[in-house]
Amino acid sequence: MRIAICAKEDTESSLIADHFARAEYFVLYDHKTLSFSSIINDAKTESRGAGEKAVKILNQHNIDIVLSPKVGPKALETLQAFKIKSFSFKGAITAKDALYLYFENKLRPIEIP
């Protein structure tokens, strides 16, 4: 299982970004290897279709789950089309904290943008 967390910087100790499509980075967690990595969100500067492009980037990295405070309607539709689950959280927390909340089953699935 691979998880992408929307973040302002490129480490697991980074604060999370406010919105999926405009996140500076995605911090990636590989549950099989228990390792972190990150990728730049090239979609963040798109004037249109940023959410859809961000989903396609994550799909290329074999992401199964996205953790984000907010996901827009087109991004959510694209996530669902690629069978990538999404979960939301609130508050200024780190990417690693969001991951812990996910594994503690304390995050809500995003079903409505």
Side-chain angles (χ1 to χ4, degrees), residues 16-55:
I16 51 93
D18 297 328
H19 196 277
F20 171 73
R22 303 298 174 186
E24 292 290 322
Y25 295 90
F26 293 111
V27 172
L28 310 180
Y29 175 73
D30 188 324
H31 192 59
K32 186 176 182 181
T33 63
L34 305 178
S35 63
F36 287 94
S37 61
S38 67
I39 56 172
I40 294 173
N41 178 14
D42 291 328
K44 69 181 174 276
T45 58
E46 295 290 320
S47 58
R48 299 181 68 186
E52 294 158 309
K53 183 175 180 181
V55 173

Side-chain angles (χ1 to χ4, degrees), residues 62-109:
N62 301 312
I63 297 301
D64 303 297
I65 296 168
V66 168
L67 307 181
S68 177
K70 299 176 189 172
V71 175
K74 289 183 182 178
L76 182 58
E77 184 178 304
T78 308
L79 285 165
Q80 291 169 341
F82 281 103
K83 300 192 183 328
I84 299 173
K85 296 177 182 176
S86 55
F87 294 85
S88 69
F89 50 86
K90 294 183 180 182
I93 61 175
T94 67
K96 197 172 196 177
D97 291 337
L99 186 65
Y100 287 146
L101 290 172
Y102 171 76
F103 283 118
E104 293 171 357
N105 293 314
K106 293 184 178 178
L107 301 183
R108 295 175 300 134

